Amino acid sequence: MRILIVEDERKAAEYLQRGLTESGFVVDVAYNGDDGLHLALEQPYDLIVLDVGLPRRDGWSVLASLRRAGRQTPVLFLTARDAVSDRVRGLEEGADDYLVKPFAFSELLARIRSILRRGPARQPDVLTVANLELDVTRHRATRGGQRLDLTPKEFALLALLVRRRGEVLSRTLISELVWEMHFDSDTNVVDVAIRRLRAKVDDPFALKLIRTVRGVGYVLDED
Ligand code: CA
């Protein structure tokens, strides 16, 4: 198994390289985003450990260019801050997992093994529930072939519900992930947005997908 580490802090990169080599991986290291992207496009890696803060080209840009080039190599993101926005953005843009610095090497190894076990199949770019289709790369939603005119927030909200279909999501969780709010005092925002979303996604159709779970939150499902 070949792993690419893209990390500009030399000591950290060397430490990771040594640890992963001892764990049986073949490891290459790049110390900036340009070299990282170049290697990632040239070599067949099984996984890339990608730091967000990098000189020349940051981790976001490396990831975006990689996915634009059609490379589905799994990416484990390293973020410096435990910012919800970083995590959400990383996963939205096609990272497979993330780890917040500082982390224990054993934790990194566990995440790497878990991603490699999952195999190369990433989440598809088009998510489907019943006759609802979400093209997450193009930010386009259709139902029964009809284009839904959604704002970016409405799309993010719908994508979250679809990705976690069947799971009841609390207002607090939704407001944190979609609006990056960390308090539950203004979860009214969620109710208003859900109402608008329903008007577009459910009202014109017989089969309702978004359900309210009283006192808990919302769930999207076929039944
Ligand atoms: Ca860095």
Side-chain angles (χ1 to χ4, degrees), residues 17-214:
Q17 183 177 30
R18 195 167 54 241
L20 290 173
T21 304
E22 282 167 4
S23 306
F25 297 100
V26 176
V27 184
D28 289 337
V29 180
Y31 298 103
N32 65 64
D34 273 350
D35 291 351
L37 178 61
H38 182 74
L39 275 173
L41 291 173
E42 296 295 311
Q43 307 285 330
Y45 292 105
D46 296 291
L47 185 136
I48 299 167
V49 177
L50 182 58
D51 188 26
V52 172
L54 289 169
R56 292 213 227 149
R57 183 191 272 276
D58 67 17
W60 302 120
S61 168
V62 173
L63 178 60
S65 301
L66 204 59
R67 295 297 182 239
R68 259 203 308 276
R71 300 306 167 85
Q72 305 302 334
T73 318
V75 168
L76 174 65
F77 239 45
L78 303 181
T79 101
R81 300 146 288 149
D82 186 11
V84 171
S85 54
D86 259 16
R87 285 187 270 153
V88 173
R89 186 172 168 195
L91 298 176
E92 285 291 339
E93 298 200 0
D96 295 78
D97 203 353
Y98 64 90
L99 209 49
V100 178
K101 292 178 177 181
F103 51 83
F105 179 75
S106 57
E107 177 67 15
L108 176 78
L109 194 57
R111 298 290 185 94
I112 286 176
R113 289 194 166 134
S114 144
I115 294 173
L116 291 175
R117 259 200 310 275
R118 262 184 258 159
R122 291 200 320 117
Q123 246 188 351
D125 289 340
V126 178
L127 309 171
T128 317
V129 179
N131 60 352
L132 172 69
E133 271 192 23
L134 255 71
D135 185 332
V136 288
T137 42
R138 291 192 200 144
H139 273 241
R140 201 178 283 177
T142 59
R143 190 153 179 202
Q146 243 173 283
R147 178 82 178 267
L148 303 174
D149 184 23
L150 305 177
T151 66
K153 285 289 179 209
E154 286 166 352
F155 188 89
L157 175 59
L158 186 60
L160 174 69
L161 288 165
V162 168
R163 282 211 172 93
R164 296 172 71 164
R165 75 192 67 165
E167 192 181 327
V168 182
L169 305 175
S170 71
R171 290 176 176 79
T172 309
L173 184 77
I174 293 172
S175 64
E176 226 179 75
L177 292 177
V178 177
W179 284 270
E180 294 165 26
M181 299 190 304
H182 301 267
F183 43 88
D184 51 12
S185 57
D186 198 19
T187 47
N188 188 36
V189 153
V190 175
D191 296 326
V192 172
I194 289 274
R195 207 176 307 140
R196 293 212 180 106
L197 191 60
R198 271 180 164 151
K200 295 175 180 178
V201 173
D202 274 345
D203 287 359
F205 302 92
L207 176 67
K208 310 301 177 197
L209 297 173
I210 302 168
R211 277 189 297 127
T212 307
V213 180
R214 276 182 82 92

